[in-house]
Amino acid sequence: MWWAGAIIGFISSFHCVGMCGPIAMALPVGRGTGASFVGGRLLYNLGRVTTYTSLGLVAGLLGRTLQLAGWQQTISIVSGVLMLALVLLPRLDTGTLGQKLGTDRWWNALRKAIGKQFQNPSPKALFTVGLLNGLLPCGMVYFALAGAVSAQNVGGAVLYMAMFGLGTLPLMWLVSLSGKIIQPRWRALMRNAVPYVAGCLAVLFILRGLNLGVPYLSPKLVTTEQEAPVCHVPS
């Protein structure tokens, strides 16, 4: 399912243009020009990809723990349901939710840390901005993580989130170079396509969890018990 991560990433990048585009276009320029300018913008985006990949490791470890508990099918179904919830509740008041959960202080501290890095136009600072940017609250990242948790193994979850990050890279890199490359009408068109693509992938995860035995669509999931070797005691 790594390809699903790439698809979600690419489609999400049009959503990211509106959410994180201002940060990308406001990155400090410094004295660098030409290759150093382009490379600095690439470092920023690679920082985001690194954070997404690291989050994939966390999601994979969580998913593996649940799989060992025999919840593999449930994970896939719950992940699909969570994806649908993110699609159907796009206007969830995350600000109020953050206050209730006590996470608003974390986000404010994160934004201040990003602002501090903006004062330093070095390549290291640009990469750090990308790392921190990847931790900002984003519904599409949550959507991708829901899919990563249901990966077959930890490596699959890491690859899934890495492909998600790489899927966002081309457009976000272009936007960081110039915000005028992608016309507004094309951004709007792709943003409108996000919930439809996300909904289809959510349904796919639910079908996988139902274990219907349909090749590619809902194959039989191999449980931990089935993977374990059978020892025969000689008579």
Side-chain angles (χ1 to χ4, degrees), residues 44-54 130 161-162 165-166 168-169:
Y44 158 74
N45 284 287
L46 289 178
R48 292 190 306 103
V49 175
T50 301
T51 296
Y52 297 148
T53 304
S54 301
M161 289 304 297
L166 291 174
T168 68
L169 193 148

Side-chain angles (χ1 to χ4, degrees), residues 11-161:
I11 297 296
S12 298
S13 63
F14 289 86
H15 169 80
C16 295
V17 168
M19 301 299 294
C20 300
I23 295 178
M25 289 184 287
L27 290 172
V29 177
R31 297 180 180 179
T33 58
S36 62
F37 174 80
V38 174
R41 268 54 188 168
L42 179 60
L43 279 175
Y44 158 74
N45 284 287
L46 289 178
R48 292 190 306 103
V49 175
T50 301
T51 296
Y52 297 148
T53 304
S54 301
L55 291 175
L57 175 61
V58 176
L61 291 173
L62 174 60
R64 185 56 180 166
T65 300
L66 295 175
Q67 288 174 12
L68 292 175
W71 293 354
Q72 188 173 3
Q73 289 176 248
T74 303
I75 296 170
S76 187
I77 294 174
V78 171
S79 296
V81 172
L82 288 175
M83 291 177 178
L84 284 178
L86 289 170
V87 171
L88 298 175
L89 300 174
R91 298 179 181 177
L92 183 65
D93 189 350
T94 54
T96 302
L97 182 62
Q99 292 178 358
K100 293 181 179 179
L101 297 177
T103 58
D104 53 327
R105 295 181 180 178
W106 159 257
W107 303 133
N108 290 333
L110 189 59
R111 293 186 180 97
K112 289 181 180 178
I114 292 176
K116 184 177 181 180
Q117 293 297 323
F118 263 64
Q119 300 174 12
N120 182 4
S122 68
K124 180 181 178 181
L126 291 173
F127 183 74
T128 303
V129 170
L131 289 174
L132 297 174
N133 194 169
L135 294 174
L136 289 174
C138 175
M140 299 313 299
V141 175
Y142 301 154
F143 182 91
L145 286 172
V149 170
S150 64
Q152 294 291 327
N153 49 56
V154 176
V158 172
L159 178 60
Y160 184 94
M161 289 304 297

